[in-house]
Amino acid sequence: MMQQLCRSNTRSAHLTHGSTRCPAAAFRTSHKCRKSCVPVRASLTVKDPQSGVEFLLAQKFWQGEAYRCLGAGTRSKQIVFVNVKVYSVAAYVEADRAAKELGIRERGGFFETDDDYCSAILDGAFNKVLALHLVRDVTGEQFTEAINKSLLPRMQLAGDTASLDQFNAYFNSKNLANNSEVLLLWSVAGDLEVLVTPPTTFPHEYGEAKPELRINSPALGRGLFEIFLGSSPVVPDARTEWAKGAKALLESENVKRASRKA
């Protein structure tokens, strides 16, 4: 299903990136909202058709240029013969840098299948983000246990299980409540930067947020993103949407190039 674009709710909310939520009512008390709080404004969003979760189409994170959402899909898990939704996941890329690189690859005859587009996202020299929006309560241990099934062999092969231990220790101290978000930013420098937000039902900008964890491990960043973008993705529907999103980004770049030539 093609990703759906809509307008986000115009109500305002505020978010602090710590252990507590900062509601609008806080302004009527002695508490002050932190600088990282960003009010929600009406803007284009991408809606995950399975979960109904919305992500901002144009997003700002604490590092890099403007990002674009490529699409979203839902991770489900079978529990006693019933598929239970766990989280919705969206992929973001630095829009201009990704578009230019996709254009170079297309002119080089790189693209034939969706796998080629996903490989271009994975290998591209630009920052990228996985934004996971929880749609049920899970513990940090449950979250890492599911990921480690695929990630641990990769990290053992890379000889960097220490970075994985650091990643697991961070999440093992967390309770991931319904409507909280896990942001995983993999930078060109090879850092994996992580932030877990308090529960919120409204899309937020994260340009002024601060990551709670930074691990310099190209193997960890690549391993995590391969779980979602590789040939055996944990959320196949999301990967399909991301390939479509990459094609749309490439198309916009081609239109820009044609306009400049004209």
Side-chain angles (χ1 to χ4, degrees):
M1 182 180 292
M2 291 293 291
Q3 63 186 34
Q4 303 175 19
L5 301 183
C6 60
R7 292 280 178 181
S8 66
N9 197 308
T10 56
R11 291 174 56 189
S12 291
H14 286 78
L15 177 69
T16 53
H17 304 290
S19 59
T20 60
R21 188 178 178 183
C22 182
F27 289 105
R28 298 191 294 272
T29 71
S30 61
H31 298 289
K32 294 182 179 180
C33 189
R34 298 178 185 175
K35 290 183 179 180
S36 59
C37 298
V38 181
V40 172
R41 297 180 177 89
S43 58
L44 286 173
T45 63
V46 174
K47 186 174 183 179
D48 178 354
Q50 294 177 306
S51 67
V53 172
E54 294 180 20
F55 298 90
L56 291 178
L57 175 63
Q59 178 60 279
K60 294 180 181 179
F61 293 100
W62 54 87
Q63 182 182 160
E65 300 177 357
Y67 291 75
R68 182 182 179 90
C69 181
L70 299 179
T74 298
R75 165 64 168 161
S76 298
K77 184 176 181 180
Q78 192 172 59
I79 300 177
V80 193
F81 306 109
V82 177
N83 280 330
V84 177
K85 296 181 179 67
V86 181
Y87 57 79
S88 178
V89 56
Y92 285 90
V93 295
E94 288 184 291
D96 288 344
R97 291 178 177 177
K100 290 176 182 178
E101 185 159 335
L102 290 171
I104 292 171
R105 287 174 179 252
E106 183 192 43
R107 293 189 291 278
F110 181 82
F111 298 121
E112 293 182 1
T113 66
D114 284 357
D115 288 341
D116 297 329
Y117 284 94
C118 290
S119 294
I121 299 169
L122 183 64
D123 296 331
F126 44 81
N127 293 351
K128 58 213 75 172
V129 175
L130 291 173
L132 287 68
H133 186 107
L134 276 295
V135 295
R136 65 181 290 113
D137 294 344
V138 300
T139 65
E141 291 87 347
Q142 289 172 323
F143 180 79
T144 55
E145 181 182 0
I147 288 178
N148 284 344
K149 290 179 181 179
S150 298
L151 189 54
L152 179 57
R154 289 176 167 87
M155 298 305 293
Q156 289 174 332
L157 185 62
D160 189 14
T161 56
S163 293
L164 180 59
D165 290 341
Q166 188 178 353
F167 179 83
N168 290 339
Y170 168 80
F171 277 100
N172 288 345
S173 65
K174 299 284 185 181
N175 283 317
L176 307 179
N178 183 27
N179 286 323
S180 61
E181 292 192 340
V182 176
L183 305 175
L184 305 169
L185 189 156
W186 183 24
S187 73
V188 177
D191 293 331
L192 178 71
E193 301 179 350
V194 186
L195 175 65
V196 175
T197 76
T200 176
T201 57
F202 302 104
H204 285 266
E205 286 186 352
Y206 294 107
E208 297 182 13
K210 301 295 182 184
E212 295 177 333
L213 177 67
R214 180 180 289 109
I215 304 174
N216 183 251
S217 172
L220 180 60
R222 184 174 185 86
L224 273 170
F225 277 70
E226 279 185 345
I227 292 173
F228 292 89
L229 282 159
S231 58
S232 300
V234 293
V235 190
D237 290 344
R239 187 176 184 267
T240 300
E241 292 301 315
W242 298 338
K244 293 178 183 177
K247 293 174 186 177
L249 193 60
L250 174 59
E251 183 177 350
S252 69
E253 173 65 12
N254 289 337
V255 170
K256 290 180 181 178
R257 282 178 56 83
S259 299
R260 288 194 294 266
K261 288 182 179 180

